[in-house]
Amino acid sequence: MTERIISWHAHPSKPKFIPPPGAVDAHCHVFGPQAQFPFSPSAKYLPEDAGPEKLFALRDHLGFSRNVIVQASCHGTDNRATLDAINKSAGMARGVAVVDPDISYGELDALHQGGIRGIRFNFLKRLVDNAPKDKFLAVADRLPKDWHVVVYFEADILAEMREFIAHIPVPVVVDHMGRPDVSQGPEGPDITAFRELLDSRDDIWTKVTCPDRLDPAGPPYADFVAAVRPLVEDYPGRVLWGTDWPHPNMQDILPDDGSLVDVIPQIAVTAELQRKLLIDNPMQLYWPD
Ligand code: 0GY
């Protein structure tokens, strides 16, 4: 695998929606720079560099204040690129790491000092080779105070994820709502099953993210809006929003980040819902201290 892919728009539009001051982009990544932070030997895709300078320029262009940087699978369990970006953010970024389940307490503490506030368990077979649930639960038991677990899976395995999620001993954040088929509508089987998961504990949060991945019709992402707006209204204190920049693996349809931001007022239709989605909720999880 030698081709370096580019999955981000070179000139994203300026959104019409102006995020409230202090808004957090709570799901984004950095790639590299590879010369300093090489990709994992088991990476399933090899992107061009998309480092912190580009990320922070996008943050400013879109009108956001903070970022939550999620360790991308192409960097494996080497979190140095994520930590480097957090370190360069002047306190305006925090992160989610991917760790070897045998990680020591000392290494976890170092990640905490570096701005990490959670770890991610990725169950997508196209992204990772192994997802050992028993080892994941063991490491989730040893996390520093106020950390949480981010879980990434697709709707076809939601049923088998339920027991695992029930046993996670800290708050849980589900990436991209577990990737429902939004064309089924707000009462379709995927969203219904996902609501049942949210109802199974009061500390499961979710990212109402990735219209570009979930709604192939593209902007204005009508199916995504129809399915997700009721979720934001029914779980206003448990939703997060993010760009997903640099959109790993989206090289065939480069999402325009400005259009993604313009989805926000369609799924969070009042200023209060927008404040919760973009400020109160992510601040509670990532800047509790
Ligand atoms: C996302 C989605 C994807 C990739 C990763 O860590 C990753 O490589 O998260 C994907 O390909 O669906 O959240 O960025």
Side-chain angles (χ1 to χ4, degrees):
M1 198 170 27
T2 50
E3 188 197 358
R4 295 284 191 269
I5 60 175
I6 294 183
S7 51
W8 58 93
H9 203 292
H11 303 289
S13 64
K14 191 90 180 158
K16 293 181 201 64
F17 174 68
I18 299 174
V24 183
D25 173 354
H27 185 92
C28 52
H29 314 274
V30 288
F31 299 148
Q34 300 157 57
Q36 220 180 334
F37 309 117
F39 296 124
S40 159
S42 48
K44 300 292 183 271
Y45 59 94
L46 293 178
E48 286 287 356
D49 287 344
E53 293 76 16
K54 277 199 176 78
L55 175 65
F56 301 147
L58 180 79
R59 173 197 69 195
D60 296 345
H61 174 75
L62 298 177
F64 281 74
S65 302
R66 296 172 191 256
N67 296 101
V68 178
I69 304 172
V70 178
Q71 169 80 352
S73 62
C74 55
H75 279 294
T77 57
D78 177 354
N79 293 285
R80 284 179 301 154
T82 297
L83 291 167
D84 171 69
I86 295 170
N87 185 42
K88 289 184 170 141
S89 75
M92 300 311 266
R94 285 213 158 148
V96 173
V98 174
V99 301
D100 184 324
D102 297 327
I103 188 169
S104 69
Y105 282 108
E107 288 166 318
L108 284 169
D109 187 53
L111 290 175
H112 188 87
Q113 298 308 323
I116 298 296
R117 291 296 179 270
I119 54 172
R120 188 186 202 204
F121 300 149
N122 189 334
F123 288 89
L124 267 65
K125 291 194 174 66
R126 66 177 167 80
L127 294 174
V128 291
D129 294 325
N130 289 310
K133 287 187 178 136
D134 50 342
K135 290 190 174 176
F136 283 169
L137 286 180
V139 68
D141 243 342
R142 300 195 292 116
L143 298 181
K145 185 172 169 295
D146 288 335
W147 279 33
H148 60 275
V149 159
V150 175
V151 186
Y152 189 22
F153 61 88
E154 291 180 317
D156 61 332
I157 63 161
L158 190 154
E160 64 192 77
M161 291 299 296
R162 285 197 60 150
E163 193 187 340
F164 169 74
I165 289 175
H167 285 95
I168 294 175
V170 293
V172 178
V173 176
V174 180
D175 275 343
H176 320 326
M177 301 163 286
R179 299 189 58 127
D181 178 352
V182 293
S183 73
Q184 297 169 349
E187 285 160 19
D190 284 2
I191 289 279
T192 301
F194 188 66
R195 280 172 175 267
E196 285 165 12
L197 180 70
L198 288 176
D199 292 339
S200 68
R201 332 176 13 160
D202 58 12
D203 60 350
I204 301 187
W205 306 57
T206 193
K207 296 176 189 162
V208 288
T209 33
C210 289
D212 48 311
R213 294 184 194 276
L214 302 181
D215 190 346
Y221 303 113
D223 284 348
F224 179 90
V225 169
V228 173
R229 178 176 158 175
L231 212 58
V232 173
E233 288 171 356
D234 292 343
Y235 302 90
R238 296 206 254 153
V239 285
L240 306 165
W241 188 88
T243 53
D244 187 38
W245 188 90
H247 312 288
N249 291 308
M250 288 293 290
Q251 64 270 27
D252 295 332
I253 310 169
L254 298 184
D256 169 20
D257 302 279
S259 302
L260 299 179
V261 171
D262 281 330
V263 174
I264 294 172
Q266 299 183 63
I267 58 171
V269 296
T270 66
E272 191 191 349
L273 286 171
Q274 291 161 12
R275 183 175 45 76
K276 287 186 169 153
L277 176 67
L278 299 173
I279 304 173
D280 298 353
N281 299 345
M283 291 303 286
Q284 189 182 332
L285 272 182
Y286 292 98
W287 279 269
D289 40 357

